[in-house]
Amino acid sequence: MTDYFEVHERDGAARIAELRLADSVTTPAVADDFLADAGSLWTEDREIPEGGDDELTILPHRGFPSGTDEEVMDSFAPEYPDVDYPSAAVVAPETADDYGADAYVLSGAQGFVGHGAGFRDAITETREAIPADSALYLPGVATPANVATLVYAGVDLVDADRAVVAGTQGEYLTTEGRHFLEDLSELPCACPACQKPVSEFTREDCAEHNENALRAELGVVRERIRAGRLRDYIEGQARHDQWLTAAFREFDQQWSYLEERTPLIRDAELSAATEDTLQRVEIKRFADRVTTRYRNRFDNPLVLVPCSATKPYSESQSHGQFHDAIQFRGHTVSMTSPIGVVPQELELTYPAQHYDSVVTGRWSEDEKQFVAEVLRRYLERNDYPRVIAHVPEHGYRDACERVEEELGIDFEYTVEDHPTTTESLGNLMRTLDGELKYGKRERQHNTVKAIADYQFGDGAGDALFDGIQTEARYPKLRVQDRDGEQLAAMVPQYGVLSFTLTGARRWVESEAPTKRVEIDAFAPHGSVLAPGVVDADDDIRVGDEVVIEGPKAFAVGRAEMSGPEMAESTRGIATTVRHVEEK
């Protein structure tokens, strides 16, 4: 059981947490100031230390270099005692397990830090084996340049050893890498150690600067986590070292590890500044759900249009012009990099209204390939009587032509020079002559069902919202059953649905996949803490709508942890509670 470590905020595998010492520590952090090492058992037998609440005590241990045979590790593995003070156990990826400690020190880091795939495997194996609500400490490897990537991978604690040693060797470290003191014409830093001319700057000063730079970078990282934008920072910052770029690309390929830890919804803007953005969990998850869960319910032709800088798209000037030409005679789907395709019903759904991309007027080959692949999968799933492509040249049209050839579908192109020219809009309007308009009721009902499909699973829209009525104006729709009982409401901020108790019961009784949290015998109000969770579905993610049920209550709310973390954790908020009914 973890008694002294509690996670408060999550951004993928990175976390803001509290190490509950006498003087509380916010992680990720440098551990040097509060660490007490009881010593290695390789050199001599050690007594169990008395410990204390003012430090994190590393229990007597045996560390192993990277690559040690697993049988050797098992033979010499120490037994960690159950102590009543903040403690840490030393583990290797192969021996990591729940030893009841508050933190786990990963040995052999020098053997895999610097190697993308090796680093990925070591961190993911260890994090999956140790409790979700425990800290991971990676000693002897942190620098100002790599610490953001270490934290992104799931590391909570580091030390300043490598940075200090580098300073004593005349290496001046920055977030961009290292400089040799003899090569510096000036000191590119304003920390206290650097408040002197470079001619008077000693190696002792350099060591102090390196530690200052490391601590300052951790401050930047913590703020990025709080804002939900660490990945945006990583995509640029890691470019300064090839292994760091390789490392986060390796983690992109570790889908299950990152997907489980990445929230479904959040307020943060997603910055699409590099082609690596195409590999982000949020992007791949949206594309996957649109092409495996979403189903078009309109009988009208498909009208493909370009995205807009303004979000949501419908509030942009260009999409206003498209709407005037289409007039509800076609089903509008936006093409965009890096999202892929966005049906009009999902234009608010995270991250469709939460991203910002670099606009050059041209797409790279990777972007064309990605958008074409998503469009192809979308058209294979959804049948349309006609496909009208009101898109410009270059990236958009290139992607359309690839899909035409692959699927043997003829697209009708309506753009001359630019999508918003009078001639182009006239072409679009005339192409839809004779098509019947769909009405407001159909549009609203289809929007609710489309969001339900995306949010809850394939077929959920029809299973949950057959025979409904809607009230209020889009995007603040309220969903009612035939008797006027409210079932759900649309949340414009994220483009998702939130249930009432009646809606939650309908969800449980339907054939739609349900996300359940089983709790102990109490009635929750405001939130459910992790110790009160008996079990939770493995596929619950942060931001998921969840049904909460126990012997004394039935409730509905939103997940603040993933399902596996809820089931494992002994501290922290598992779910918020929106409505509760006591039994």
Side-chain angles (χ1 to χ4, degrees), residues 282-582:
E282 299 95 322
I283 300 300
K284 295 167 75 172
R285 180 193 277 153
F286 185 89
D288 180 67
R289 291 192 176 197
V290 166
T291 54
T292 62
R293 296 185 176 191
Y294 170 85
R295 189 171 297 282
N296 168 52
R297 292 176 171 83
F298 294 99
D299 296 326
N300 304 70
L302 168 64
V303 181
L304 296 170
V305 298
C307 64
S308 65
T310 300
K311 312 292 188 307
Y313 305 135
S314 60
E315 295 183 4
S316 69
Q317 183 176 359
S318 61
H319 278 243
Q321 292 173 299
F322 301 156
H323 170 74
D324 291 342
I326 296 169
Q327 287 292 315
F328 304 113
R329 295 175 296 167
H331 177 225
T332 304
V333 173
S334 299
M335 296 176 61
T336 177
S337 175
I339 303 292
V341 298
V342 183
Q344 63 186 21
E345 306 97 300
L346 300 180
E347 69 163 1
L348 297 179
T349 303
Y350 182 86
Q353 70 160 329
H354 304 81
Y355 76 98
D356 192 15
S357 59
V358 177
V359 179
T360 64
R362 295 178 181 273
W363 286 350
S364 69
E365 178 57 32
D366 285 348
E367 289 176 299
K368 293 176 187 177
Q369 184 176 343
F370 176 78
V371 176
E373 172 66 14
V374 176
L375 178 58
R376 179 187 63 78
R377 292 169 58 194
Y378 179 86
L379 288 173
E380 285 178 334
R381 179 173 171 83
N382 295 286
D383 293 325
Y384 287 95
R386 303 162 62 194
V387 178
I388 300 165
H390 190 74
V391 296
E393 293 287 343
H394 308 302
Y396 292 99
R397 182 144 182 174
D398 289 345
C400 287
E401 289 174 347
R402 294 182 189 190
V403 176
E404 271 190 295
E405 183 177 351
E406 289 181 28
L407 299 183
I409 298 175
D410 291 328
F411 287 19
E412 301 172 51
Y413 295 96
T414 54
V415 170
E416 298 287 344
D417 186 38
H418 191 274
T420 58
T421 63
T422 301
E423 186 174 5
S424 295
L425 294 170
N427 289 342
L428 177 58
M429 188 179 300
R430 287 188 293 274
T431 302
L432 289 166
D433 282 349
E435 297 290 347
L436 298 177
K437 295 182 179 181
Y438 52 82
K440 176 181 177 181
R441 179 177 177 275
E442 181 182 3
R443 184 171 75 253
Q444 292 185 342
H445 287 200
N446 286 354
T447 295
V448 169
K449 292 179 180 180
I451 294 174
D453 285 342
Y454 179 93
Q455 189 174 351
F456 305 117
D458 186 16
D462 293 330
L464 289 169
F465 298 117
D466 185 36
I468 59 165
Q469 52 188 353
T470 54
E471 66 170 13
R473 292 171 60 88
Y474 176 86
K476 297 182 179 180
L477 297 175
R478 293 192 295 273
V479 187
Q480 300 174 337
D481 62 18
R482 290 187 177 93
D483 299 324
E485 183 80 16
Q486 184 169 330
L487 303 173
M490 186 174 170
V491 183
Q493 186 177 3
Y494 307 116
V496 296
L497 298 169
S498 61
F499 284 118
T500 62
L501 283 174
T502 302
R505 292 193 182 282
R506 185 164 175 155
W507 186 19
V508 169
E509 294 165 2
S510 75
E511 296 181 359
T514 311
K515 306 288 179 73
R516 296 173 182 264
V517 177
E518 181 185 350
I519 61 172
D520 218 330
F522 65 96
H525 295 280
S527 61
V528 174
L529 300 181
V533 174
V534 175
D535 199 7
D537 289 343
D538 286 344
D539 59 349
I540 293 174
R541 301 291 178 260
V542 174
D544 255 328
E545 193 80 354
V546 292
V547 168
I548 305 154
E549 191 165 14
K552 293 189 175 182
F554 178 87
V556 63
R558 183 150 289 156
E560 295 294 325
M561 296 179 177
S562 68
E565 189 174 1
M566 287 184 201
E568 292 180 21
S569 295
T570 56
R571 286 187 174 275
I573 297 174
T575 76
T576 58
V577 176
R578 186 181 312 113
H579 305 291
V580 61
E581 180 180 85
E582 296 187 30

Side-chain angles (χ1 to χ4, degrees), residues 121-288:
D121 292 344
I123 297 298
T124 57
E125 287 176 27
T126 305
R127 273 255 67 112
E128 296 283 9
I130 65 177
D133 57 348
S134 63
L136 178 59
Y137 172 29
L138 199 63
V141 294
T143 68
N146 71 23
V147 73
T149 301
L150 302 185
V151 172
Y152 174 77
V155 174
D156 302 290
L157 296 170
V158 297
D159 56 39
D161 290 1
R162 182 174 178 183
V164 169
V165 169
T168 63
Q169 295 172 342
E171 295 179 15
Y172 186 95
L173 303 183
T174 70
T175 57
E176 300 171 0
R178 64 176 183 170
H179 307 270
F180 292 102
L181 279 183
E182 58 266 28
D183 297 333
L184 287 175
S185 300
E186 60 181 278
L187 301 175
C189 175
C191 80
C194 296
Q195 301 304 301
K196 60 180 62 176
V198 68
S199 59
E200 300 175 13
F201 194 76
T202 66
R203 292 192 173 192
E204 183 178 298
D205 295 325
C206 190
E208 182 182 346
H209 155 79
N210 288 353
E211 183 171 353
N212 290 341
L214 176 62
R215 292 179 183 273
E217 180 67 355
L218 277 170
V220 171
V221 168
R222 287 192 294 269
E223 282 302 296
R224 283 284 178 164
I225 295 172
R226 292 184 182 102
R229 300 195 64 181
L230 181 59
R231 172 56 188 255
D232 296 345
Y233 182 66
I234 287 289
E235 285 192 19
Q237 196 275 338
R239 300 291 177 187
H240 299 296
D241 194 312
Q242 286 83 353
W243 96 261
L244 295 175
T245 301
F248 85 76
R249 287 179 176 172
E250 290 288 348
F251 273 91
D252 280 346
Q253 303 307 311
Q254 198 73 22
W255 167 259
S256 60
Y257 178 78
L258 284 184
E259 192 279 329
E260 179 183 314
R261 293 163 173 79
T262 302
L264 284 170
I265 56 175
R266 50 182 162 190
D267 295 329
E269 180 182 88
L270 187 156
S271 178
T274 76
E275 290 178 21
D276 285 306
T277 302
L278 297 173
Q279 302 302 318
R280 289 184 64 155
V281 167
E282 299 95 322
I283 300 300
K284 295 167 75 172
R285 180 193 277 153
F286 185 89
D288 180 67

